[in-house]
Amino acid sequence: MPRNYDIAELKRLDIKHHLPAQQDYKLIEDIGGSRIITHAEGCYIHDGDGNRILDGMAGLWCVNVGYGREELVEVAAEQMRELPFYNTFFKTVTPPTVMLASKIAGLTGGKLQHVFFNASGSEANDTVFRMVRHYWNLKGQPKRKIFISRWNAYHGSTVAGVSLGGMKGMHAQGDLPIPGVEHVRQPYWFGEGFGTDPVEFGKKCAAAIEERILAVGPENVAAFIGEPVQGAGGVVIPPPGYWQEVEAICRKYGILIVADEVICGFGRTGEWFGHQTLGFTPDLVPMAKGLSSGYLPISANAVSSEIVEVLKTGGDFVHGFTYSGHPVCAAVALRNIEIIERESLVGRVRDDVGPYLAKALARLNDHPLVGETRSIGLLGAVEIVAKPGTNERWGSAEGNAGPVVRDACIANGLMVRGIRDTIVMCPPLIISHQQIDDMIDIIHRSLDEAYPVLKAIA
Ligand code: PXG
């Protein structure tokens, strides 16, 4: 049972001392402090005001096995007792780290046989940045420095993460991106290709990559990076064939492919990795979140044998973090993967709850505020529009409706994100049919409640 916290006092201290992630500090002050999440079980979180909320976001796209897994607690305690920490800098390593690397290599398969560890998704993408440039230098092609990414991609919050990402609001803070990152259009059919043939639209988006490669010179391009399905960008599922086109273009010019699997990994799309669901073969795979179901911070980069062979010619690769391969995080990640396997959660997403979510979402299609619902595995999205059958938004600009519907959902007991005017969901992989129905019912009710509010701003 949760401890008996003094919630009012915690809120006061929160305002006074704590700076939350990606937040408006003044706003937090104005609303009297953040919502304090005290405990959780299964698919539900509880806050200090006594609300039980269905967690449609699996924490932050990460609690794949759900909350309250006693065996993850036990395995962490056991490992802490035996060896709470040791590093991988001194020609040393710990048993769980080796076992986890081997386990991940088995899941990624094929040429992705080597694993580098970090503590977060952002760090994993910093590793990508340094490793790829170092690789091309060693290979005798030092001009290959440019990364091509997409607008509205999310690759993290560090300097390299924000730069690789395509979030203009993040670029604006801190004079980013750093030089050497080129952004091209995203394969967001509903937002940018509406009314056109989706497959043709996907081809155009892939062609934009080739155009940029030719514009900057193929000899200068190091890698293309993309989330198989964009998560923080609004669950942007690319049209069929997009990734195959991208893959062919990258191969044509000898450009490395980086699949950022931080959200798509570990069963989210109905295979272990999003690139397996979408059918392409990357050279580097940063992953995090579902790797430990968020129980402890850990991320990894699966790297192709070809890249590692080149790195071996360069002496020390002077890159790594204190917490690279942290034994407690690795032990928890290993057990987390074991749970996913034992409970067949990947197949469950592919054959059962994924299709069930798609059907349930379709019940929203007749709502006058809904322009489209879409999903892949247990990643879902609802587009809110001003006029049915269009992609027109409420009010003068994008982003008016999303927060209204999101806030209504949370008040009605469902945690979702509102990304501009898209409501997105990413529930734990253990979610039941009944809980999916509850999620959709709450969204329906919240859309009804939002309707008069939105009419007022139209
Ligand atoms: N890549 C992807 C694809 C991500 O989704 C990161 C990298 C960075 O991971 P870390 O562990 O450094 O946060 C992420 C993280 C949102 C939101 O607004 C999404 C993420 C993080 C914070 C907010 O939905 N994804």
Side-chain angles (χ1 to χ4, degrees):
M1 272 313 287
R3 277 160 281 186
N4 206 4
Y5 293 106
D6 181 343
I7 296 297
E9 174 64 358
L10 285 173
K11 288 198 177 197
R12 192 184 69 76
L13 294 174
D14 181 47
I15 293 170
K16 195 158 176 224
H17 297 297
H18 174 230
L19 300 176
Q22 297 194 14
Q23 199 40 273
D24 175 343
Y25 304 145
K26 176 71 171 62
L27 176 81
I28 294 296
E29 208 174 280
D30 293 345
I31 63 170
S34 300
R35 181 190 299 271
I36 298 183
I37 306 299
T38 50
H39 59 291
E41 80 283 328
C43 294
Y44 294 93
I45 52 174
H46 297 254
D47 70 17
D49 302 320
N51 298 304
R52 178 179 184 253
I53 302 169
L54 180 56
D55 188 4
M57 285 309 299
L60 191 58
W61 321 81
C62 56
V63 187
N64 286 13
V65 300
Y67 298 94
R69 293 285 190 165
E70 206 46 48
E71 61 181 302
L72 295 183
V73 180
E74 278 161 20
V75 84
E78 253 169 53
Q79 184 59 44
M80 279 198 205
R81 268 186 216 106
E82 195 169 285
L83 179 70
F85 177 78
Y86 208 74
N87 72 71
T88 68
F89 284 57
F90 299 162
K91 303 185 180 64
T92 49
V93 71
T94 66
T97 308
V98 178
M99 289 190 278
L100 181 60
S102 159
K103 185 76 211 176
I104 291 172
L107 297 177
T108 47
K111 61 184 185 181
L112 296 163
Q113 286 305 305
H114 306 270
V115 180
F116 186 94
F117 290 109
N118 333 256
S120 69
S122 300
E123 283 176 356
N125 283 324
D126 276 57
T127 294
V128 164
F129 202 92
R130 293 200 63 206
M131 192 181 273
V132 164
R133 286 188 164 185
H134 183 50
Y135 162 83
W136 284 117
N137 285 344
L138 288 174
K139 229 176 128 74
Q141 299 185 49
K143 283 166 68 182
R144 286 203 187 256
K145 290 284 149 65
I146 294 174
F147 284 82
I148 298 183
S149 175
R150 283 97 49 95
W151 291 116
N152 200 36
Y154 191 86
H155 297 300
S157 194
T158 51
V159 170
V162 171
S163 297
L164 290 170
M167 298 292 175
K168 289 182 181 165
M170 293 179 90
H171 289 167
Q173 298 178 347
D175 305 309
L176 298 170
I178 52 176
V181 185
E182 295 280 330
H183 295 89
V184 298
R185 69 184 305 183
Q186 56 173 336
Y188 178 25
W189 179 82
F190 187 80
E192 301 178 10
F194 193 76
T196 70
D197 178 67
V199 172
E200 284 307 312
F201 173 72
K203 280 190 186 155
K204 270 193 201 150
C205 295
I209 298 168
E210 183 161 25
E211 285 156 24
R212 189 64 60 90
I213 291 168
L214 293 172
V216 299
E219 71 283 7
N220 299 317
V221 181
F224 174 79
I225 182 168
E227 304 151 80
V229 175
Q230 288 154 257
V235 182
V236 175
I237 305 168
Y242 170 80
W243 270 110
Q244 285 65 37
E245 296 274 335
V246 172
E247 185 171 34
I249 291 164
C250 291
R251 296 296 168 229
K252 182 167 157 193
Y253 299 104
I255 293 163
L256 295 173
I257 300 172
V258 184
D260 182 340
E261 297 273 3
V262 169
I263 284 177
C264 293
F266 300 93
R268 180 54 60 191
T269 66
E271 298 293 339
W272 279 97
F273 293 98
H275 68 266
Q276 295 163 345
T277 304
L278 292 166
F280 67 99
T281 308
D283 302 287
L284 280 124
V285 178
M287 60 188 83
K289 296 193 188 268
L291 168 57
S292 66
S293 286
Y295 276 64
L296 283 175
I298 181 168
S299 68
N301 297 70
V303 185
S304 76
S305 302
E306 201 270 319
I307 292 176
V308 173
E309 286 311 310
V310 173
L311 295 178
K312 283 180 186 169
T313 66
D316 287 350
F317 175 37
V318 283
H319 175 71
F321 306 101
T322 301
Y323 300 133
S324 286
H326 192 292
V328 182
C329 303
V332 167
L334 260 178
R335 186 61 68 89
N336 171 65
I337 293 171
E338 200 181 304
I339 293 172
I340 297 174
E341 287 178 328
R342 191 196 315 138
E343 299 183 5
S344 305
L345 294 181
V346 179
R348 180 170 194 271
V349 173
R350 185 186 56 232
D351 303 328
D352 180 359
V353 280
Y356 194 88
L357 174 66
K359 261 199 220 144
L361 275 168
R363 294 205 294 273
L364 298 172
N365 286 343
D366 293 337
H367 196 285
L369 285 183
V370 173
E372 178 186 84
T373 59
R374 59 176 178 269
S375 67
I376 182 166
L378 281 184
L379 281 171
V382 180
E383 295 281 2
I384 305 161
V385 294
K387 268 192 222 140
T390 74
N391 67 350
E392 285 171 37
R393 305 299 188 178
W394 284 91
S396 52
E398 267 198 327
N400 291 312
V404 177
V405 178
R406 173 205 59 203
D407 289 348
C409 286
I410 298 171
N412 286 321
L414 171 68
M415 185 59 77
V416 287
R417 289 214 46 207
I419 296 169
R420 298 177 308 276
D421 292 318
T422 313
I423 296 298
V424 300
M425 65 214 77
C426 175
L429 309 188
I430 56 163
I431 193 168
S432 68
H433 290 188
Q434 180 61 56
Q435 287 164 336
I436 289 174
D437 288 337
D438 291 349
M439 201 161 72
I440 299 308
D441 289 348
I442 291 175
I443 295 173
H444 200 288
R445 182 155 28 106
S446 304
L447 288 165
D448 288 345
E449 289 171 13
Y451 201 44
V453 182
L454 295 175
K455 282 229 136 162
I457 64 159

